[in-house]
């Protein structure tokens, strides 16, 4: 294995020089690495897509491989579409050359399976199910399992996990036990549902998405002539987001390779957020062991976010427990400084949503386009409050995962009109003339120079206008990369994007779950609902691995922001409700000590319960500043700290931080240690009365701290 982190080697030709123009030393090293196994450990915002598309361009341009012999796979249709767009801009798909195949795992498998089906199965390929709930419902009914929609979704998810993990129905019970799965019912019953589902689906001669991977793998493994033809066609492979590969996907990748090693993988173990679906970062982390001669490149220069956002991200992931060596990427911000992240605590969720909408309005007034702002939450149900607040504020928004762009009525009508126009377009309607023609056609559909004004500029009318404008801008974008493009080429581009679910940018604040935000970025990001029980999600508590995955999900959210980052939480769900929630444990060490949101009142505080105003334990007066609240006394009172005890606490903290590989303040801040040495609590209730010590820290450190306090009691 060779580890690359500095300058690239020499010997590049003209194509190589073009491919590395404007790259930093580490990116150059990845692009120019010799053929064979290459592992790019790429932190968030470090330019991984740019790097791997440049590597493909270099391999093709240097004659190592032809464009049609490259198969690049990733996990979302949008990412695959972005990769194709960049490759086209790099001139990889030149005249007379077949395009690089850039697809999702499932799309690539479907294409291959349909091609080989007549030889390996015979007859016409089976149809692919759009959804498995119908067969899961029939199977659940036969097995005596609940058939509510929610129960069927849980059962479908469990079947997907099993198939992604290469677990057959007969092995499900044992595998679920080993994986400590949160099984949606008696394990034998779930296994029966799985078995019956497979029987019903196969009888109907239909495939689900998981079958695409499994059957394609089998075709290559069991039919030498099929494998030979495939291996002759594809000789170079690139896999993006390698930390999210499942056993089923890895099996297919091995079948694609057929013992060869011309493979480039890119990933970041810190962004592993799909373990619940069978994904494992082990394939990424073990890559240098599987391929000892691999070139390993680390990308840590973050070009996306300001140093302030990068620092927050490093703090979040730096507190993670049990991090493997390959995941310890500390980002280095490359952008000019920006504002510090903002933190806000609210009485209830409606108040939080209203405040977020107001802050978004201020950013829009400052000139930040709504499409460059996102509100991210842990679960989709949280979007409702923000939809209402943004609607009340007259701010356009779009819910990611809602109605797809190419399914909107105005978009379908506009594309139909463009098709009609293409049949009578003049021969010179290319380039800028094509753009003018597109704008004229869209003008007949309702596109105007300026957005609708007044009441007409709100809601559905504004959304229609934004959709049409996005189509016009897409035509302009196409001409920048294909100057001779005509209306037919534009329609081909629209069709390809529709199939790939790669819509253009539409103006409007994005509302999305943290999982749906993976791979995206905005100028301003609002992370909302950051309370324990939501982030981390309640069912993760008690499982260290699940909590760490939630921490990585939070890290993904933080790293979506380029400049503005606001983190907020609410103490109650409903207006006027009991303010019993506590902020997310992931915020400890992140919220500055002097920030008003860092305060933790006396009483049960972080442990839930009364949140009355903090008062001095010596004179009973209200404590206004966070430092006094932390110590539980007015700053005018002299400290009665036990210096010997304080030193013992610092020694203990240092050892604990070293054993967990985290900064000392993640265990306890200096202010918390001083409060312990001053107040010397004698029991758990006394510990949690000290701000900064909640239930999680009580559970983790309570026994040791109380023992230490007793040993130093006077």
């Amino acid at each position: 294995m060779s580890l690359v982190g500095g300058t690239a080697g020499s010997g590049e030709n003209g194509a190589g020089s073009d491919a590395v123009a404007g790259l930093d030393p580490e990116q150059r090293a990845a692009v120019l690495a010799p053929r064979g196994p290459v592992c790019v450990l790429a932190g968030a915002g470090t330019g991984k897509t740019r790097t791997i598309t440049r590597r493909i361009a270099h391999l093709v341009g240097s004659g190592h491989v032809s464009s049609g012999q490259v198969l690049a796979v990733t996990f979302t249709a949008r990412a695959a579409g972005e990769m194709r767009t960049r490759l086209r801009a790099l001139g990889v798909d030149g005249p007379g050359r077949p395009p690089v195949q850039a697809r999702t795992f499932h799309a690539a498998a479907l294409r291959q399976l349909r091609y080989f089906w007549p030889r390996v199965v015979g007859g016409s390929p089976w149809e692919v199910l759009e959804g498995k709930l119908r067969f899961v419902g029939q199977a659940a009914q036969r097995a005596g399992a609940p058939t509510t929609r929610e129960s069927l979704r849980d059962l479908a998810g469990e079947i997907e996990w099993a198939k992604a993990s290469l677990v057959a129905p007969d092995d499900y019970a044992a595998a679920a036990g080993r994986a400590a799965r949160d099984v949606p019912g008696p394990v034998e019953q779930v296994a029966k549902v799985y078995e019956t589902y497979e029987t019903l689906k196969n009888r109907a001669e239909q495939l689900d998405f998981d079958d695409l991977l499994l059957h394609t793998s089998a075709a290559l493994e069991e039919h030498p002539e099929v494998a030979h033809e495939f291996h002759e066609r594809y000789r170079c492979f690139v896999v993006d987001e390698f930390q999210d590969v499942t056993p089923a996907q890895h099996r297919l990748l091995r079948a694609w390779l057929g013992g060869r090693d011309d493979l480039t993988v890119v990933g970041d173990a810190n962004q592993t957020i799909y373990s619940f679906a069978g994904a494992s970062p082990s394939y990424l982390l073990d890559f240098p062991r599987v391929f000892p001669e691999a070139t390993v490149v680390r990308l840590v220069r973050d070009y996306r976010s300001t140093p302030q956002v990068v620092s927050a991200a490093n703090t979040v992931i730096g507190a993670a427990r049990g991090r493997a060596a390959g995941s310890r990427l500390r980002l280095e911000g490359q952008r000019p400084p920006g504002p510090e992240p903002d933190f806000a605590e609210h009485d209830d969720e409606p108040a939080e949503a209203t405040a977020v909408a107001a802050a978004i309005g201020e950013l829009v007034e400052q000139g930040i386009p709504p499409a460059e702002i996102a509100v991210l939450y842990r679960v989709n149900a949280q979007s409702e409050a923000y939809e209402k607040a943004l609607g009340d504020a007259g701010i356009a928004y779009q819910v990611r995962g809602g109605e797809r762009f190419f399914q909107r009525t105005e978009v379908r009508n506009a594309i139909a009109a463009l098709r009609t126009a293409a049949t009578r377009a003049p021969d010179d309607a290319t380039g800028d003339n094509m753009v003018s023609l597109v704008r004229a056609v869209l003008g007949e559909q309702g596109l105007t120079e300026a957005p609708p004004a007044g009441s007409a500029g709100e809601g559905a009318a504004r959304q229609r206008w934004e959709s049409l404008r996005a189509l016009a801008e897409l035509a302009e974008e196409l001409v920048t990369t294909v100057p001779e493009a005509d209306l037919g080429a534009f329609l081909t581009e629209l069709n390809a994007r529709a199939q790939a679910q790669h819509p253009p940018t539409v103006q409007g604040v994005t509302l999305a779950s943290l999982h749906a935000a993976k791979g995206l970025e905005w100028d301003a990001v609002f992370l909302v609902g950051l309370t324990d029980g939501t982030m981390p999600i309640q069912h993760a508590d008690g499982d260290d691995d699940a909590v760490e995955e939630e921490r990585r999900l939070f890290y993904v959210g933080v790293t979506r922001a380029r400049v503005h980052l606001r983190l907020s939480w609410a103490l109650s769900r409903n207006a006027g409700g009991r303010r019993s929630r506590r902020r997310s444990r992931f915020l400890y060490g992140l919220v500055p000590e002097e920030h008003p949101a860092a305060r933790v009142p006396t009483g049960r505080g972080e442990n839930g319960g009364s949140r009355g105003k903090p008062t001095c334990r010596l004179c009973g007066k209200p404590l206004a500043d966070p430092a006094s609240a932390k110590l539980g006394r007015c700053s005018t009172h002299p400290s009665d700290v036990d210096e010997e005890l304080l030193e013992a606490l610092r020694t203990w903290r240092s050892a604990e931080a070293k054993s967990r590989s985290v900064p000392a303040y993640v265990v306890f801040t200096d202010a918390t240690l001083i409060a312990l040495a001053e107040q010397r609590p004698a029991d758990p209730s006394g510990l949690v009365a000290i701000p900064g010590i909640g239930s999680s820290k009580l559970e983790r450190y309570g026994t040791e701290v109380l023992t230490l306090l007793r040993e130093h009691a006077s």
Side-chain angles (χ1 to χ4, degrees), residues 46 51 56 59 83 129 243 338 350 358 413 432 454 463 465 518 534:
T46 57
T51 301
I56 293 171
L59 292 173
M83 198 178 293
L129 282 170
Q243 78 280 351
N413 290 343
D432 291 340
Q463 185 185 69
W465 185 86
K518 180 73 166 63
T534 302

Side-chain angles (χ1 to χ4, degrees), residues 339-357:
E340 292 290 341
D342 189 29
F343 303 87
E345 180 176 274
H346 302 278
D347 286 340
D348 50 65
E349 287 185 8
E352 182 182 10
T354 299
V356 166

Side-chain angles (χ1 to χ4, degrees), residues 133-344:
L133 287 191
R134 179 167 65 91
F135 286 133
V136 172
Q138 294 174 15
Q141 192 171 33
R142 296 188 185 189
T147 57
T148 64
R149 190 165 187 82
E150 184 175 327
S151 297
L152 295 183
R153 282 201 190 101
D154 289 343
L155 288 167
E158 202 62 12
I159 292 171
E160 289 166 2
W161 168 80
K163 298 181 78 167
S165 303
L166 301 178
V167 174
D170 288 346
D171 302 323
Y172 170 78
R178 287 194 300 271
R181 296 289 294 177
D182 185 11
V183 180
V187 68
E188 297 82 3
Q189 187 181 62
V190 176
K192 183 64 177 175
V193 172
Y194 179 14
E195 179 184 33
T196 306
Y197 163 80
E198 288 293 304
T199 300
L200 293 171
K201 175 177 57 65
N202 292 338
R203 269 188 205 153
E205 297 189 348
Q206 292 190 303
L207 304 170
D208 61 24
F209 266 52
D210 311 294
D211 291 330
L212 300 179
L213 307 180
L214 301 175
H215 287 311
T216 304
S217 299
L220 294 168
E221 292 165 351
E222 299 170 11
H223 297 269
E225 73 284 0
V226 168
H228 177 75
E229 181 176 347
F230 179 87
H231 295 152
E232 283 294 304
R233 168 69 190 276
Y234 294 108
R235 303 196 173 192
C236 179
F237 300 86
V238 176
V239 184
D240 192 13
E241 304 286 6
F242 201 58
Q243 78 280 351
D244 288 330
V245 165
T246 66
Q249 290 164 335
H250 194 253
R251 174 189 171 189
L252 177 58
L253 177 60
R254 290 200 311 271
W256 284 342
L257 286 167
R260 298 169 296 173
D261 66 355
D262 206 342
L263 170 66
T264 298
V265 301
V266 187
D268 178 9
N270 288 334
Q271 297 186 68
T272 302
I273 58 173
Y274 294 107
S275 297
F276 66 89
S280 171
S282 63
Y283 301 118
L284 175 67
L285 298 175
D286 291 346
F287 193 89
R289 181 182 59 78
V290 176
F291 297 101
E293 71 282 14
T295 298
V296 179
V297 183
R298 299 174 186 271
L299 304 183
V300 297
R301 303 184 201 219
D302 187 327
Y303 299 97
R304 174 189 300 160
S305 306
T306 63
Q308 287 77 9
V309 173
V310 169
S311 176
N314 285 334
T315 298
V316 169
I317 204 63
R321 304 176 65 190
R323 297 172 73 198
S327 69
R328 294 174 189 162
L329 296 176
R330 184 171 180 83
L331 299 176
E332 300 171 3
Q334 304 296 303
R335 292 187 57 161
E340 292 290 341
D342 189 29
F343 303 87

Side-chain angles (χ1 to χ4, degrees), residues 332-411:
E332 300 171 3
Q334 304 296 303
R335 292 187 57 161
E340 292 290 341
D342 189 29
F343 303 87
E345 180 176 274
H346 302 278
D347 286 340
D348 50 65
E349 287 185 8
E352 182 182 10
T354 299
V356 166
I360 288 173
E362 292 174 2
L363 291 177
V364 172
E365 288 180 2
Q366 293 170 20
I368 297 179
E372 289 297 340
I373 302 173
V375 178
L376 306 181
Y377 35 76
R378 177 61 180 86
V379 294
N380 288 321
Q382 292 173 270
S383 75
E384 184 178 354
Y386 295 91
E387 292 180 52
K388 182 180 186 307
L390 290 170
D392 290 345
I395 299 172
Y397 65 87
Q398 54 182 334
V399 181
R400 186 163 178 81
E403 182 187 24
R404 292 178 180 173
F405 177 82
F406 289 102
Q407 292 176 340
R408 294 178 183 175
T409 301
E410 66 273 16
V411 174

Side-chain angles (χ1 to χ4, degrees), residues 348-350 352-354 356 375-390 397 399 510-515 526-538 550 553 568-570 572-573 581 584:
D348 50 65
E349 287 185 8
E352 182 182 10
T354 299
V356 166
V375 178
L376 306 181
Y377 35 76
R378 177 61 180 86
V379 294
N380 288 321
Q382 292 173 270
S383 75
E384 184 178 354
Y386 295 91
E387 292 180 52
K388 182 180 186 307
L390 290 170
Y397 65 87
V399 181
T510 298
L511 301 179
S513 71
L514 286 164
H515 281 101
F526 291 75
L527 295 179
V528 300
L530 301 178
T531 58
D532 264 2
T534 302
M535 173 51 65
I537 200 75
Q538 187 172 9
E550 292 285 297
L553 184 58
S568 62
W569 58 96
S572 171
R573 176 177 177 79
R581 293 173 170 177
S584 170

Side-chain angles (χ1 to χ4, degrees), residues 8 22 62 76 95 129 133 162 214 239 258 339 369 380 444 502 510 520 577 586 601 629 644 652 674:
S62 62
T76 68
L129 282 170
L133 287 191
L214 301 175
V239 184
N380 288 321
E444 296 173 358
H502 182 207
T510 298
L520 303 175
F586 300 150
E644 184 180 343
W652 166 82
I674 293 172

Side-chain angles (χ1 to χ4, degrees), residues 414-660:
I415 292 176
L418 289 168
R419 287 200 185 101
T420 300
T423 63
R424 55 175 185 267
D427 293 339
D428 65 348
T430 61
D432 291 340
N433 290 337
M434 183 272 285
V435 174
S436 297
L437 179 57
V438 168
R439 283 195 169 274
V441 173
L442 296 179
E444 296 173 358
Q445 300 295 311
L447 180 63
T448 54
E449 285 298 319
S455 60
E458 300 177 2
R462 178 61 182 253
Q463 185 185 69
R464 286 194 295 272
W465 185 86
E466 294 288 1
S467 296
L468 296 174
R469 183 174 73 161
L471 289 173
E473 291 177 346
L474 195 57
E476 295 170 354
E477 179 184 323
L478 177 63
V479 168
T480 62
T481 56
V482 186
E484 71 281 3
D486 59 10
L487 200 49
F490 181 52
L491 288 167
T492 299
E493 172 73 4
L494 292 177
N495 183 59
R497 282 176 170 261
Q499 290 183 347
Q501 299 174 34
H502 182 207
T505 300
V506 178
Q507 283 300 329
V509 174
T510 298
L511 301 179
S513 71
L514 286 164
H515 281 101
K518 180 73 166 63
L520 303 175
E521 59 187 75
W522 296 269
D523 282 346
V525 168
F526 291 75
L527 295 179
V528 300
L530 301 178
T531 58
D532 264 2
T534 302
M535 173 51 65
I537 200 75
Q538 187 172 9
H539 59 248
D541 233 347
D543 182 338
D544 284 348
D545 289 340
V547 169
E548 290 309 315
E549 177 132 337
E550 292 285 297
R551 189 191 306 277
R552 293 192 295 271
L553 184 58
F554 181 45
Y555 173 77
V556 165
V558 170
T559 56
R560 299 310 94 193
R562 298 191 191 105
V563 181
H564 302 275
L565 176 64
R566 179 180 173 125
L567 306 98
S568 62
W569 58 96
L571 304 178
S572 171
R573 176 177 177 79
N574 301 311
R578 184 183 177 204
R579 299 181 299 167
S580 58
R581 293 173 170 177
R582 63 182 182 199
R583 66 174 181 259
S584 170
R585 68 195 71 175
F586 300 150
L587 293 168
Y588 300 154
L590 191 61
V591 184
E593 291 264 344
E594 68 279 4
H595 196 285
R599 67 171 179 79
V600 182
T602 56
R604 292 175 63 198
E606 288 285 336
N607 224 19
S610 173
R611 295 189 61 95
K613 275 194 170 184
T615 57
C616 176
R617 58 187 163 83
L618 300 176
C619 68
K621 292 181 179 179
L623 299 173
D625 63 288
S628 296
K630 178 77 78 171
L631 295 174
R633 61 173 172 79
C634 298
S635 58
T636 54
H637 294 303
S639 172
D640 57 349
V641 67
D642 183 328
E643 294 291 351
E644 184 180 343
L645 172 56
L646 180 59
E647 185 57 34
L649 286 167
R650 284 174 173 156
T651 301
W652 166 82
R653 181 183 65 171
S654 177
E656 182 65 25
K658 185 176 181 180
S659 70
R660 292 182 53 207

